[in-house]
Amino acid sequence: MKKITVLTGAGISAESGISTFRDQNGLWENHDIMEVASYEGWLKKPALVLDFYNQRRRQLPKVHPNAAHKLLSELEKKHEVQIVTQNVDDLHERAGSKNIIHLHGELIKAKCSIKDKDIIEIGYKDIQIGDFSKNGHQLRPHIVWFGEMVPKIEEAIPHFENADMIIIIGTSLNVYPAAGLTQYAQTSTPIYLIDPDPEVVIPQSNVTHFSLSATEGMKKIMELL
Ligand code: OAD
């Protein structure tokens, strides 16, 4: 039984039909990132921000975990698997993975826009202007916006320090601190990078890049183990 830590990004959900952020026609090509994903944007146009995330949330019941999500969940039968995801969808959970850290928040949760720690489950329901937390403040999506702290990073780091094997799937590694997590790995720990884009690079020793889709890459990993 190996300790396997997996970092996932938008690319693992691409085959389920969820748009990535930085690929051609990705979300950040069609939306102004600072308008919809920053605290400043929220203060200026809260209804626009709510609409952006309401649309993302409404998509969830229409999509399904793909083979890559399912193979990761299957890995748990034989190994100790920790998923650390940058994704805000619920596809790892729905595929059956048990240990999941959501670094950038979750669409199915909302929080108080003033008291950050008041987090509630909302499922697939929209958040509207006038929906209040129990403290009487406007609810906002439970999403880490640009410029905000990533509180779950502390929980994620030991899983990279202590892993026997690391798998990185479908992330352009543009966003820190998530992109820096592999630096916590022991130099002897093998890192497998699954991303069809050959230009995604982890500048460390011991990295094997499979330039494949998440599903094809995960099939290779299953053969290796
Ligand atoms: P990106 O959109 O930056 O990168 C997606 C990666 O997925 C790219 O490297 C693609 O090559 C790869 N990809 C595309 N199709 C794939 C497939 N079928 N199988 C495997 N890989 C595929 O998304 P992230 O790196 O996840 O943060 O973005 C990181 C963060 O930036 C997101 O969590 C989000 C965004 O701004 C917040 O909103 C806080």
Side-chain angles (χ1 to χ4, degrees), residues 8-16 18-23 26-28 33 37 52-53 66 68 85-88 103-105 143-146 150 169-176 178 193-200 210 212-217:
T8 63
I12 194 170
S13 297
E15 288 167 82
S16 295
I18 297 183
S19 294
T20 62
F21 295 94
R22 294 175 185 78
D23 287 309
L27 285 172
W28 295 155
I33 195 167
F52 176 76
Y53 289 102
N66 63 55
T85 187
Q86 297 167 84
N87 297 346
V88 295
L103 288 176
H104 295 163
I143 301 288
V144 174
W145 286 327
F146 281 91
V150 182
I169 310 177
T171 170
S172 62
L173 296 171
N174 263 292
V175 175
Y176 283 81
L193 168 63
I194 303 172
D195 196 295
D197 183 350
E199 287 183 15
V200 177
F210 295 135
L212 296 169
S213 69
T215 297
E216 292 308 313

Side-chain angles (χ1 to χ4, degrees), residues 147-196:
E148 293 190 313
M149 304 282 280
V150 182
K152 294 269 181 180
I153 201 78
E154 298 302 328
E155 202 184 315
I157 289 169
H159 295 289
F160 287 81
E161 290 172 330
N162 301 323
D164 299 317
M165 176 180 178
I166 292 173
I167 312 173
I168 314 290
I169 310 177
T171 170
S172 62
L173 296 171
N174 263 292
V175 175
Y176 283 81
L181 280 168
T182 55
Q183 291 164 16
Y184 292 93
Q186 310 296 319
T187 41
S188 57
T189 306
I191 301 176
Y192 292 91
L193 168 63
I194 303 172
D195 196 295

Side-chain angles (χ1 to χ4, degrees), residues 31-225:
H31 299 272
D32 179 336
I33 195 167
M34 294 315 281
E35 259 193 348
V36 299
S38 75
Y39 194 69
E40 292 75 10
W42 167 249
L43 293 178
K44 280 190 199 142
K45 294 184 189 166
L48 181 85
V49 174
L50 290 183
D51 182 56
F52 176 76
Y53 289 102
N54 286 342
Q55 285 183 41
R56 312 271 82 72
R57 196 178 303 105
R58 281 180 207 161
Q59 199 184 8
L60 293 182
K62 298 182 193 149
V63 297
H64 303 284
N66 63 55
H69 295 107
K70 289 179 192 160
L71 287 171
L72 280 176
S73 138
E74 203 180 308
L75 265 191
E76 286 185 14
K77 290 185 191 151
K78 291 199 183 141
H79 302 282
E80 209 178 303
V81 180
Q82 176 67 51
I83 311 262
V84 177
T85 187
Q86 297 167 84
N87 297 346
V88 295
D89 64 46
D90 59 353
L91 295 179
H92 283 303
E93 283 84 353
R94 284 163 56 197
S97 286
K98 295 281 179 300
N99 307 312
I100 306 164
I101 296 174
H102 280 273
L103 288 176
H104 295 163
E106 291 172 78
L107 282 169
I108 59 165
K109 294 179 182 170
K111 65 181 174 186
C112 176
S113 51
I114 306 294
K115 294 206 169 188
D116 207 40
K117 291 207 165 70
D118 282 344
I119 298 167
I120 57 164
E121 301 261 350
I122 55 166
Y124 298 146
K125 285 206 301 272
D126 284 359
I127 308 175
Q128 309 285 4
I129 296 288
D131 288 346
F132 295 128
S133 68
K134 63 177 186 322
N135 298 302
H137 303 294
Q138 175 65 44
L139 284 176
R140 58 165 270 184
H142 176 46
I143 301 288
V144 174
W145 286 327
F146 281 91
E148 293 190 313
M149 304 282 280
V150 182
K152 294 269 181 180
I153 201 78
E154 298 302 328
E155 202 184 315
I157 289 169
H159 295 289
F160 287 81
E161 290 172 330
N162 301 323
D164 299 317
M165 176 180 178
I166 292 173
I167 312 173
I168 314 290
I169 310 177
T171 170
S172 62
L173 296 171
N174 263 292
V175 175
Y176 283 81
L181 280 168
T182 55
Q183 291 164 16
Y184 292 93
Q186 310 296 319
T187 41
S188 57
T189 306
I191 301 176
Y192 292 91
L193 168 63
I194 303 172
D195 196 295
D197 183 350
E199 287 183 15
V200 177
V201 169
I202 300 176
Q204 283 171 246
S205 58
N206 237 339
V207 177
T208 307
H209 188 164
F210 295 135
S211 288
L212 296 169
S213 69
T215 297
E216 292 308 313
M218 272 310 297
K219 285 186 190 159
K220 283 244 181 210
I221 298 281
M222 302 308 271
E223 282 164 26
L224 280 175
L225 281 164

